[in-house]
Amino acid sequence: MNQRVFNFSPGPATLPLPVLQEVQQNLLALPGAGASILEISHRSKTFEQIIAQAEANIRQLLNLPDEYHVLFLQGGASLQFSQVPMTFLRGSGRSADYMVTGSWAKRALAEAQREGGVRVIWDGKENNYSRVPKKGEYDVNPDAVYVHFTSNETIQGIQFPAEPETGDVPLVCDASSDFLSRPIDVKRYGLIYAGAQKNVGPAGVTIVIIRNDLLERVPDGLPTMLDYRVHAENHSLYNTPPVFAIYVVMLVTRWLLESIGGLEQMHAINQQKAQMLYDAIDRSEGFYRGHAQPDSRSLMNVTWRLPTEELEAQFVKEAKEAGLHELKGHRSVGGIRASIYNAMPIEGVRTLVEFMEDFRRRHA
Ligand SMILES: *Cc1c(COP(=O)(O)O)cnc(C)c1O
């Protein structure tokens, strides 16, 4: 274990150590099954229990009412960019409202535009995607089929502090990079989707939470694999699901419940970690310049610049030598990005803050 570095990767991202240890311990034979999770049928009793437990954990963590279904799908959040508008927008004769807060929202918007009428009700372009909209800065069309927003922009490092106000229009959320990082007002949502590989597991599974009234609106004639109803009716076992990824999601959500104590506790820890980094930025006298405006600062992805690109490259290089990996910002925005999802220990953030202070003393 002494070879493990602090891994600030944006995704796939660091996982809780006890989860990895359990995976390792049981990789050759799951207790009672006599075979590996990689080798058993998705129709076996063992796996049925695993997927049911994963769903139960998510339900408990989010306090999910019965009218919501939990689906384990493939194709990433990127397929949801298409599947959502294919299902609800195409042929509806109505339009959908999109909030464009950064790189991922732009991708979602582009796919929706292929399917039907879309209104952009907010675009953060003029402030370089450094903040999310406040109440009153956007007008929801009361006749929109849904309002789409990206709760956390992984690349820019901005996050909605709370759900946008949409009246009776169903809220659709790309929660890929902050799913299960804090409590949410779940009844406000019609549909939530999240690729697992940022905060809740390995790559390969996408969690979709969908409310009954939206499920009932799924039109006939979609490809079977793109029909949410098929997956809901078959409890995500219509075809072979990503068995291993779902197994790890089950372990991560159990860790959240049993070791952390739930989403309120997780949120408090995430706030503490993010605050440590933003404090280091704020007291650096302009040496570190945060990208996000203070009221939109992400608790998951902290982004900042240094005085020059040369210093940024030097920072990333020296950090890596100090055991702090994957701190380079996304190629589209540059700078530094520290992804500090649920599984990043406070110790990792503390070590990064110490490194930041030391680096500044030497280079400011
Ligand atoms: C990573 C990410 C995606 C893309 O996820 P894939 O699973 O690679 O398709 C979409 N939205 C957000 C907010 C992300 O962070």
Side-chain angles (χ1 to χ4, degrees):
M1 282 312 139
N2 56 11
Q3 289 147 353
R4 280 179 66 77
V5 298
F6 289 119
N7 170 17
F8 294 91
S9 167
T14 196
L15 287 164
L17 187 56
V19 166
L20 292 175
Q21 285 167 331
E22 181 161 348
V23 170
Q24 181 187 44
Q25 195 179 351
N26 291 339
L27 192 67
L28 297 185
L30 275 173
S36 171
I37 182 67
L38 301 172
E39 303 168 309
I40 60 171
S41 167
H42 59 294
R43 312 238 175 251
S44 62
K45 263 269 154 316
T46 303
F47 185 69
E48 270 180 15
Q49 280 167 3
I50 288 170
I51 193 169
Q53 192 60 55
E55 174 174 345
N57 293 350
I58 292 169
R59 285 189 171 282
Q60 190 181 340
L61 284 163
L62 288 173
N63 230 323
L64 213 53
D66 287 344
E67 60 181 323
Y68 288 85
H69 302 260
V70 179
L71 311 179
F72 298 97
L73 306 182
Q74 298 189 67
S78 298
L79 184 58
Q80 294 308 306
F81 294 162
S82 300
Q83 192 173 352
V84 166
M86 278 173 79
T87 305
F88 302 110
L89 187 56
R90 184 191 279 184
S92 69
R94 292 158 64 196
S95 64
D97 285 355
Y98 274 69
M99 293 186 173
V100 181
T101 44
S103 307
W104 289 116
K106 279 192 232 173
R107 288 261 194 115
L109 172 71
E111 296 304 320
Q113 284 168 333
R114 294 164 175 265
E115 300 298 335
V118 177
R119 268 183 4 128
V120 172
I121 59 170
W122 198 77
D123 192 323
K125 191 175 176 168
E126 65 191 52
N127 42 61
N128 196 21
Y129 302 107
S130 61
R131 67 177 182 91
V132 299
K134 296 183 189 59
K135 232 195 285 182
E137 287 188 307
Y138 50 86
D139 276 315
V140 171
N141 169 10
D143 197 40
V145 279
Y146 58 83
V147 178
H148 182 282
F149 81 112
T150 310
S151 49
N152 183 69
E153 286 282 0
T154 323
I155 291 174
Q156 282 75 19
I158 60 174
Q159 186 177 28
F160 279 82
E163 290 82 6
E165 293 292 339
T166 59
D168 292 332
V169 180
L171 206 47
V172 170
C173 179
D174 174 3
S176 293
S177 51
D178 66 359
F179 187 58
L180 303 184
S181 69
R182 60 180 178 181
I184 58 170
D185 187 1
V186 75
K187 292 203 190 75
R188 305 272 308 279
Y189 295 82
L191 190 151
I192 303 171
Y193 61 91
Q197 73 273 20
K198 309 286 163 62
N199 212 20
V200 291
V205 66
T206 306
I207 295 158
V208 173
I209 294 174
I210 181 170
R211 204 170 58 201
N212 257 334
D213 58 309
L214 268 81
L215 204 59
E216 283 161 9
R217 278 170 30 193
V218 176
D220 291 329
L222 288 169
T224 308
M225 282 296 289
L226 295 178
D227 188 328
Y228 291 118
R229 291 173 308 186
V230 170
H231 296 291
E233 281 159 17
N234 291 281
H235 300 282
S236 307
L237 292 167
Y238 170 74
N239 72 324
T240 317
V243 169
F244 179 72
I246 293 168
Y247 168 64
V248 181
V249 167
M250 184 277 283
L251 296 178
V252 170
T253 49
R254 194 173 73 192
W255 168 83
L256 270 172
L257 282 165
E258 293 178 1
S259 301
I260 301 297
L263 296 190
E264 267 170 40
Q265 288 83 345
M266 192 71 253
H267 188 210
I269 296 168
N270 286 333
Q271 283 174 311
Q272 188 189 348
K273 288 187 293 184
Q275 197 58 50
M276 288 163 70
L277 281 172
Y278 289 118
D279 283 348
I281 290 169
D282 290 343
R283 66 170 175 258
S284 75
E285 294 171 341
F287 184 74
Y288 299 119
R289 280 172 296 120
H291 172 74
Q293 297 187 24
D295 53 6
S296 297
R297 284 172 159 179
S298 169
L299 302 185
M300 300 276 98
N301 311 94
V302 180
T303 50
W304 70 93
R305 305 297 309 240
L306 272 71
T308 64
E309 286 187 16
E310 289 68 35
L311 274 175
E312 287 169 351
Q314 186 73 13
F315 181 97
V316 171
K317 180 171 169 280
E318 288 187 24
K320 189 167 181 189
E321 286 159 10
L324 303 158
H325 287 217
E326 304 290 336
L327 284 163
K328 195 171 177 336
H330 190 269
R331 59 190 181 280
S332 63
V333 299
I336 310 294
R337 168 174 55 174
S339 297
I340 50 170
Y341 302 116
N342 289 352
M344 171 56 65
I346 287 185
E347 193 48 38
V349 175
R350 191 173 297 127
T351 309
L352 174 57
V353 167
E354 282 163 13
F355 173 81
M356 287 169 74
E357 312 260 283
D358 180 57
F359 188 89
R360 176 161 69 95
R361 266 194 298 277
R362 288 184 290 111
H363 294 279

